[in-house]
Amino acid sequence: MTDFEAVYARHFDSVYRYVYSLCRDEHTAEEITQEAFYRAMTHMDTFDGKCRLYVWLCQIAKNTYFTYAKRQKRHTEPEEDTAQPGIEGQLLERETAWELHKLLHRLDEPYKEVFSLRVFGELSFSQIGQLFGKSDSWARLIFYRAKTELRRRADENDL
């Protein structure tokens, strides 16, 4: 077995679960994970060892997913507004969620990523700490600070 095959065999499941936590779609997660490993294989010479290999692979996978999501967003046509009685509340919730996502996007790293991994990725603090090469206490603290900052900004924007 070549070195990269060993890397693939050892880390594929973990990277796949991470990507799945981002997209919540098995097929997309499979495609993104395959593409991420292909990119890692072709750029293995750039891995400098400053972080764990798993973290490096997840960074590639995350960037691959975000590139994919941007392309999908550009190619998706807006849905028609088929407002029916009772749907107004759902639309207001969507607008509030959109505003919160915009506030989240403006957070600095690592706050933005830790918050996203915890809330949307449903990762434990221990897993988040491992991704960053830090402790679970560090992940808890960063998550708390991100949540506090989002609340402050939401209050400033009357959300």
Side-chain angles (χ1 to χ4, degrees):
M1 190 177 332
T2 67
D3 289 338
F4 195 77
E5 287 176 340
V7 168
Y8 182 86
R10 181 169 181 207
H11 295 288
F12 181 85
D13 287 338
S14 298
V15 173
Y16 169 83
R17 285 193 305 274
Y18 171 68
V19 173
Y20 181 79
S21 74
L22 295 173
C23 67
R24 296 288 188 211
D25 179 73
E26 291 176 7
H27 178 72
T28 301
E30 179 80 25
E31 292 291 322
I32 298 299
T33 305
Q34 291 290 344
E35 177 66 21
F37 272 96
Y38 172 76
R39 290 180 183 186
M41 182 181 69
T42 59
H43 294 94
M44 197 64 163
D45 59 322
T46 64
F47 178 65
D48 58 12
K50 289 183 181 176
C51 65
R52 291 181 34 223
L53 182 59
Y54 170 71
V55 173
W56 184 68
L57 292 168
C58 283
Q59 286 290 75
I60 293 171
K62 179 184 76 166
N63 292 336
T64 303
Y65 171 70
F66 287 149
T67 300
Y68 166 83
K70 283 180 188 176
R71 267 190 255 126
Q72 290 299 105
K73 187 176 178 182
R74 273 187 260 147
H75 296 303
T76 304
E77 294 186 28
E79 295 180 18
E80 287 184 35
D81 185 13
T82 56
Q84 301 169 7
I87 204 159
E88 293 85 2
Q90 291 175 346
L91 290 173
L92 287 174
E93 287 177 16
R94 284 185 192 161
E95 283 193 30
T96 302
W98 172 244
E99 293 301 319
L100 288 172
H101 278 285
K102 289 192 310 191
L103 292 175
L104 175 62
H105 182 69
R106 291 184 198 119
L107 280 181
D108 292 332
E109 292 295 346
Y111 304 102
K112 175 175 30 178
E113 188 168 2
V114 168
F115 186 87
S116 296
L117 290 170
R118 179 69 179 166
V119 173
F120 305 116
E122 299 176 1
L123 296 182
S124 69
F125 289 118
S126 176
Q127 290 170 317
I128 293 169
Q130 286 176 1
L131 275 176
F132 285 89
K134 307 278 186 180
S135 69
D136 56 339
S137 297
W138 175 88
R140 280 188 181 87
L141 176 64
I142 297 301
F143 177 75
Y144 172 78
R145 288 178 179 171
K147 189 169 59 170
T148 302
E149 181 63 16
L150 281 174
R151 282 186 182 141
R152 185 188 67 73
R153 291 180 185 188
D155 288 344
E156 286 176 0
N157 291 296
D158 295 325
L159 295 179

